[in-house]
Amino acid sequence: MSSLVLLHTRYQFLEHLRVPIAIVASVFFPTVAMLAFVVPFAGDHPLAATVGTASMTMFAVMSSSLMGLGIGVADDRGKPWDPYLRTLPAGPFPRFAGRMLTSLAITLIAVVPVMLVAALLTEATATPCSCCSASARCSWGRCRS
């Protein structure tokens, strides 16, 4: 991996840490939604808890991606530093790859509390195959088995 990609990843991750609402929203809201809706209503049923866990995991991924990619790009466009970075000879790939790696790191940080709540407080089965099938059913609108 290029040192420019790692440098942009580090820079953008530090930018995320300087705006704590992005990380707090990405971590806090899916975890609270899991505690408020999945644990009391579907925590005892293994399939329902797995579907709920997959749904809250998808919520964590989407909220962290929205904060990292959507709002981050819009915020960068408003800063005077961004037009200067676009004129540098490195090209767009290091910045894009750094943004994607930063978003992936924030996504992993956001998914961990949801998985911990699922493992400790529900009867969800946490095999990768069951989580993928539950995510697919929810994305196709067939959450009930």
Side-chain angles (χ1 to χ4, degrees):
M1 189 175 302
S2 164
S3 63
L4 277 176
V5 171
L6 294 176
L7 185 66
H8 279 283
T9 303
R10 182 173 155 238
Y11 164 73
Q12 289 173 359
F13 192 76
L14 288 174
E15 284 291 316
H16 273 288
L17 292 179
R18 290 182 183 137
V19 183
I21 192 64
I23 294 179
V24 169
S26 298
V27 173
F28 180 73
F29 292 138
T31 306
V32 168
M34 178 84 173
L35 287 170
F37 300 114
V38 176
V39 172
F41 298 115
D44 296 334
H45 189 266
L47 181 63
T50 302
V51 169
T53 301
S55 299
M56 292 301 122
T57 302
M58 183 64 73
F59 177 39
V61 169
M62 290 173 60
S63 66
S64 65
S65 296
L66 176 69
M67 294 292 178
L69 299 174
I71 296 173
V73 169
D75 184 45
D76 284 348
R77 293 291 178 149
K79 294 178 182 172
W81 183 249
D82 188 64
Y84 174 72
L85 283 177
R86 285 187 273 153
T87 64
L88 295 177
F93 177 74
R95 290 180 59 210
F96 178 73
R99 187 171 301 280
M100 295 305 290
L101 289 173
T102 301
S103 179
L104 180 65
I106 301 296
T107 298
L108 291 175
I109 292 170
V111 166
V112 168
V114 173
M115 290 297 171
L116 284 175
V117 168
L120 297 175
L121 301 177
T122 69
E123 297 296 322
T125 56
T127 62
C129 184
S130 65
C131 286
C132 289
S133 67
S135 293
R137 279 198 309 262
C138 279
S139 65
W140 291 327
R142 296 184 183 111
C143 287
R144 287 174 250 119
S145 59

